């Protein structure tokens, strides 16, 4: 625990020193970058050591606050999430220092550095907490610091609105978590996680209120449909390195919370597993379909995060089904697939957001249909974005293949079961459909942004991924390639993390058919693909050596004078695919002066959340005269309230058993 505490202090120290040295920008940036990297490295050491081979660590602090002692600890589950936080946190912090250089003339970026460090430290607190009070304290610090980073560019009304939507929804989720822990804590000696586990057996209605509140409270933070509508606006409004951290790690705290509840509650009922599975399917399909229609590059990536959270929930629901129906192999495959996709998504989605940030920094726009041809002037950024796109599609030899392959194997295993669990085999078809739509989505983004010709003559890209920007891209690219080429590095620890999540799966964690044999098969496949590509490029190089290079104009479809405006746009590319699903997940499509023009307003936000909020606001305005009475009127309110409470207490005492 000394390394963990020292790492957190280094991270917070980096933010504090950046503030103290705000008048010396170069020194402040260097100190922040150095201490953040050092803090993330030091914090990751005990987490990685525990994942490889170690024992759980715990420390307890006495507290006079209600709820009992403040307990912190490191087990396999928290070590998994701390590892991915340290990877993404170090890369995004280094990237952010260079990314914010252009903002120095307009605002104090050292405050952004300090809040960024606080966000990383608060997420570490969430993963380490082993009691309700410190967990909620860290959770609230995470929510507030994320809000301050989202509204960094607060001069724009759209940014302020995105921040407010996030703030309202995240605190609604926090209220759900508070209610969950209060109901749970009534049957517990105190509010430490260790005492919540035996109290689960005494919960009313089989713990249904706990499980439903967990889905709501943690689902809001994860961006699960239909609570997702804060996510696109917030991720688009935040600086790109913050967007990478929010999408790569912060929304995963919701996934962590659901997994932590399962470790404390035990095997969930089947209805809860099916609910999570259906929510995952809805999130995945709606997220990828809405990503297909976005004109804003960062909003498209944000909706893709909703899609990938859905894929993670598919794995979590599959694992919960295995636990509910006492199918240990299925439970292990489901939870392992969810954990692998959580790690892989943290790496490749952060890489994609950092690549998008490099594009925005160089061109000054996020509008996809104003971009094009950037591969010629930004080859390093284009290469990183290409690798991230291959990974998110789930193709070998990148890391995204490992998690999705594990999930498909789990769903096919469910098809061999008996009873209702056999219907879960349809999840393999859902993974295939989601993968195909994701391929279309990122083919659309990659070609529209990097290929063809620039669609706007006013855009002149600057340098390609300089300094810390290039380092952040390289670090995350290396992570995607390493896990893809050597899957055993992630699959073995993931199996050990997943085993305690199911009461019956512990003995299967070292089953060769689930571990060693599986990694051998994937490694053989990846090595074969790499060798095949190497042979192909070798033959091409030898055959083409010495031949003259001829440069010709691109075929212009028989047009005498083709222009960039004649290219396919991202909107037209996605319109046909999105229209095919208009009955089930309708993105708002219209026609603008330049062709197809999808609505920027989220359907759930515009059709449900905003009208509901307006009705609540009008109802509240009707109650406003109640506070404009005289003192005697207020006394009547007080007397009436006291009488109502006394009546309630009388009836409760009368109906309670002796």
């Amino acid at each position: 625990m000394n390394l963990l505490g020292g790492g957190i202090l280094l991270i917070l120290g980096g933010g504090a020193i950046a503030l103290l040295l705000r008048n010396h920008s170069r020194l402040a940036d260097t100190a922040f970058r150095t201490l953040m990297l050092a803090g993330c490295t030091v914090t990751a050491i005990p987490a990685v050591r525990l994942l490889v081979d170690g024992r759980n660590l715990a420390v307890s602090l006495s507290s006079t606050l209600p709820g009992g002692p403040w307990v912190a600890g490191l087990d396999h589950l928290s070590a998994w999430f701390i590892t991915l936080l340290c990877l993404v946190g170090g890369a995004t912090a280094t990237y952010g220092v260079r990314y914010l250089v252009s903002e120095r003339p307009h605002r104090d970026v050292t405050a952004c550095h300090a809040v960024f460090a606080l966000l990383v430290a608060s997420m570490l607190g969430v993963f380490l907490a082993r009691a309700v009070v410190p967990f909620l304290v860290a959770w609230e610090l995470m929510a507030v610091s994320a809000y301050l980073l989202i509204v960094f560019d607060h001069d724009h009304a759209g940014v302020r609105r995105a921040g407010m939507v996030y703030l309202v929804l995240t605190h609604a989720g926090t209220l759900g978590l508070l209610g969950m822990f209060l109901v749970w804590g009534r049957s517990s000696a105190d509010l430490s996680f260790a005492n919540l586990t035996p109290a689960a057996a005494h919960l009313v209605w089989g713990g249904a209120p706990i499980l439903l509140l967990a889905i709501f409270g943690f689902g809001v933070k994860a961006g699960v449909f239909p609570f997702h509508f804060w996510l696109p606006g917030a991720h688009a409004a935040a600086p790109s390195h913050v967007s990478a951290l929010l999408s790569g790690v912060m929304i995963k705290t919701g996934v962590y919370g659901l997994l932590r509840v399962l470790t404390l509650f035990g095997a969930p009922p089947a209805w809860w597993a099916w609910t999570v599975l259906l929510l995952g399917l809805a999130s995945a399909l709606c997220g990828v379909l809405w990503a297909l229609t976005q004109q804003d590059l960062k909003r498209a990536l944000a909706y893709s995060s909703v899609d990938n959270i859905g894929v993670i929930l598919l794995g979590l629901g599959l694992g919960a089904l295995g636990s509910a129906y006492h199918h240990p192999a299925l439970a292990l495959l489901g939870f392992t697939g969810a954990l692998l996709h959580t790690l892989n998504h943290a790496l490749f989605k952060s890489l994609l957001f950092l690549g998008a940030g490099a594009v925005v920094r160089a061109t000054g726009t996020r509008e996809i249909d104003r971009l094009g041809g950037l591969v010629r002037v930004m080859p390093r950024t284009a290469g990183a974005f290409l690798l991230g796109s291959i990974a998110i599609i789930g193709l070998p030899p990148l890391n995204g293949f490992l998690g999705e392959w594990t999930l498909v194997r789990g769903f096919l295993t469910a098809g061999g079961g008996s009873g209702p669990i056999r219907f879960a085999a349809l999840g393999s078809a859902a993974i295939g459909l989601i993968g195909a739509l994701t391929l279309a989505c990122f083919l659309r983004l990659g070609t529209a942004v990097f290929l063809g010709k620039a669609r706007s003559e006013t855009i002149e890209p600057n340098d390609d991924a300089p300094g810390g920007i290039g380092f952040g891209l390289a670090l995350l690219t290396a992570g995607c390639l390493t896990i893809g080429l050597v899957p055993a590095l992630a699959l073995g620890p993931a199996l050990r993390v997943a085993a305690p999540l199911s009461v019956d799966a512990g003995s299967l964690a070292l089953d060769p058919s689930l571990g060693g044999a599986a990694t051998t098969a994937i490694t053989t496949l990846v090595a074969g693909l790499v060798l095949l590509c190497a042979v192909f490029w070798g033959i091409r190089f030898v055959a083409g050596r010495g031949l003259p290079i001829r440069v010709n104009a691109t075929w212009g479809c028989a047009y005498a004078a083709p222009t960039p405006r004649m290219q396919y746009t991202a909107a037209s590319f996605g319109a046909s695919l999105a229209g095919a699903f208009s009955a089930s997940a309708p993105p708002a499509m219209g026609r603008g002066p330049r062709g197809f023009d999808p609505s920027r307003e989220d359907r759930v936000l515009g059709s449900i959340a905003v009208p509901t909020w307006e009705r609540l606001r009008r109802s509240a305005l009707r109650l406003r005269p109640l506070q404009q009475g005289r003192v005697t009127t207020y006394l009547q309110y007080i007397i009436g309230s006291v009488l109502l409470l006394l009546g309630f207490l009388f009836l409760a005492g009368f109906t309670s058993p002796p």
Side-chain angles (χ1 to χ4, degrees):
M1 296 298 289
N2 290 335
L3 286 176
L4 288 171
I8 294 174
L9 288 177
L10 285 172
I11 291 170
L12 292 174
I17 291 177
L19 277 179
L20 293 175
L21 299 175
R22 65 175 63 192
N23 295 326
H24 306 277
S25 58
R26 288 179 178 270
L27 191 57
D29 287 348
T30 302
F32 172 75
R33 179 172 55 240
T34 303
L35 290 177
M36 281 295 299
L37 283 173
C40 289
T41 303
V42 170
T43 306
I45 291 173
V48 173
R49 189 167 56 199
L50 176 59
L51 289 174
V52 173
D53 184 20
R55 296 176 299 176
N56 296 342
L57 304 174
V59 61
S60 177
L61 302 176
S62 60
S63 171
T64 58
L65 295 174
W70 287 29
V71 184
L74 182 69
D75 61 2
H76 284 84
L77 181 61
S78 56
W80 183 266
F81 283 86
I82 287 173
T83 300
L84 67 91
L85 171 58
C86 291
L87 285 171
V88 176
T92 52
T94 305
Y95 177 101
V97 169
R98 185 60 184 263
Y99 182 83
L100 293 176
V101 167
S102 59
E103 295 291 332
R104 285 195 178 277
H106 313 294
R107 53 182 56 87
D108 180 18
V109 301
T110 56
C112 181
H113 293 338
V115 179
F116 187 92
L118 180 61
L119 176 60
V120 174
S122 61
M123 284 191 284
L124 288 171
V126 168
F127 298 144
L128 290 171
R130 291 295 177 272
V132 172
V133 177
F135 179 86
L136 290 178
V137 169
W139 190 268
E140 185 64 14
L141 280 175
M142 175 182 66
V144 174
S145 55
Y147 166 75
L148 294 176
L149 291 170
I150 290 169
V151 297
F152 174 75
D153 194 12
H154 55 81
D155 297 335
H156 299 86
V159 173
R160 296 194 297 271
R161 182 174 186 267
M164 184 56 64
V165 171
Y166 162 77
L167 196 63
V168 170
L169 207 57
T170 193
H171 280 99
T174 303
L175 287 176
L177 295 182
L178 184 60
M180 179 190 75
F181 285 124
L182 287 176
V183 173
W184 203 340
R186 292 179 60 185
S187 305
S188 175
D190 57 34
L191 293 180
S192 64
F193 288 175
N195 285 322
L196 290 180
T197 300
H202 306 290
L203 293 172
V204 296
W205 298 325
I210 300 296
L211 296 173
L212 289 175
L213 287 170
I215 290 178
F216 172 71
F218 291 120
V220 167
K221 184 65 70 178
V224 175
F225 176 88
F227 315 122
H228 69 281
F229 53 84
W230 67 267
L231 194 150
H235 288 196
S240 294
H241 69 295
V242 175
S243 303
L245 186 66
L246 297 182
S247 186
V249 184
M250 193 193 76
I251 62 175
K252 308 298 176 24
T253 59
V255 177
Y256 168 81
L258 289 173
L259 291 171
R260 180 60 67 188
V261 166
L262 290 182
T263 63
L264 301 176
F265 187 87
W271 66 262
W272 190 85
W274 287 111
T275 301
V276 172
L277 203 64
L278 292 175
L279 285 175
L281 180 61
S283 299
L285 287 177
C286 291
V288 70
L289 288 172
W290 286 328
L292 270 168
T293 64
Q294 297 303 306
Q295 286 292 336
D296 187 306
L297 178 58
K298 290 179 65 177
R299 284 181 69 90
L301 293 178
Y303 273 114
S304 174
S305 292
V306 177
D307 159 31
N308 281 274
I309 284 294
V311 174
I312 293 171
L313 286 191
L314 286 175
L316 200 156
L318 181 64
L321 277 179
S323 296
Y325 289 105
H326 304 287
H327 196 313
L330 184 62
L332 193 60
L333 285 169
F335 289 131
T336 300
L339 289 166
L340 287 171
H341 202 73
T342 299
L343 172 63
N344 293 331
H345 178 259
L347 294 174
F348 59 63
K349 183 51 66 68
S350 299
L351 175 61
L352 289 167
F353 264 113
L354 296 190
V359 170
V360 173
R361 179 183 179 275
T363 62
T365 183
R366 302 195 312 246
E367 190 173 349
I368 300 171
D369 281 342
R370 293 187 62 206
L371 299 168
L374 295 182
V375 69
R376 299 176 183 86
V377 291
M378 304 182 69
R380 292 195 296 274
T381 301
F385 199 91
L386 173 63
L387 287 173
S389 299
I390 295 173
I392 199 172
I393 293 166
L395 296 177
L398 275 299
N399 60 332
F401 172 75
L402 180 61
E404 295 194 8
W405 174 86
T406 305
L407 290 178
V408 168
R409 190 177 176 202
F411 283 116
L412 293 177
T413 301
S418 59
I421 202 172
R422 289 180 297 175
F423 293 104
L426 296 174
S428 58
I431 293 288
L433 175 61
I434 294 163
L437 292 173
T438 304
L439 171 62
C441 178
F442 282 88
L443 181 64
R444 165 183 176 266
L445 292 181
T447 54
V449 173
F450 293 103
L451 300 184
K453 292 186 177 181
R455 294 171 175 84
S456 175
E457 296 180 358
T458 60
I459 295 177
E460 296 181 359
N462 301 318
D463 49 350
D464 178 26
I469 290 181
F471 176 80
L473 292 173
L475 183 61
L476 294 173
T477 300
C480 293
L481 284 170
T482 301
I483 294 176
L485 295 173
V486 191
L489 292 176
L491 185 56
L495 287 168
R496 285 190 287 272
V497 176
L501 294 171
S502 173
V503 294
D504 302 319
S507 60
L508 294 176
L510 300 179
D511 189 334
S513 64
L514 297 174
T519 55
T520 301
I522 299 176
T523 304
T524 303
L525 173 63
V526 169
L529 287 173
V530 172
L531 180 61
L532 183 63
C533 292
V535 170
F536 171 78
W537 285 108
I539 294 174
R540 182 179 182 274
F541 175 77
V542 172
R545 186 170 52 185
L547 295 178
I549 298 176
R550 293 180 297 177
V551 179
N552 293 316
T554 305
W555 180 56
C557 302
Y559 286 102
T563 66
R565 189 177 182 275
M566 296 178 182
Q567 301 174 107
Y568 278 105
T569 63
S572 62
F573 187 98
S576 57
L577 283 172
F581 293 87
S582 58
S584 56
M589 297 292 295
R591 289 184 180 273
R594 292 183 294 174
F596 289 104
D597 185 21
S599 171
R600 297 173 185 266
E601 183 76 284
D602 185 272
R603 278 298 181 90
V604 177
L605 178 62
S607 303
I608 300 175
V610 171
T612 302
W613 177 263
E614 286 298 323
R615 286 193 289 270
L616 288 173
R617 188 179 67 87
R618 288 193 295 268
S619 300
L621 289 176
R622 294 191 188 99
L623 296 175
R624 180 173 288 181
L626 292 176
Q627 66 178 358
Q628 298 172 353
R630 290 183 272 184
V631 174
T632 54
T633 306
Y634 295 149
L635 290 174
Q636 293 174 11
Y637 295 157
I638 295 172
I639 293 172
S641 300
V642 170
L643 290 175
L644 286 174
L645 289 173
L646 289 174
F648 171 76
L649 293 173
F650 173 77
L651 292 175
F654 181 76
T655 57
S656 61

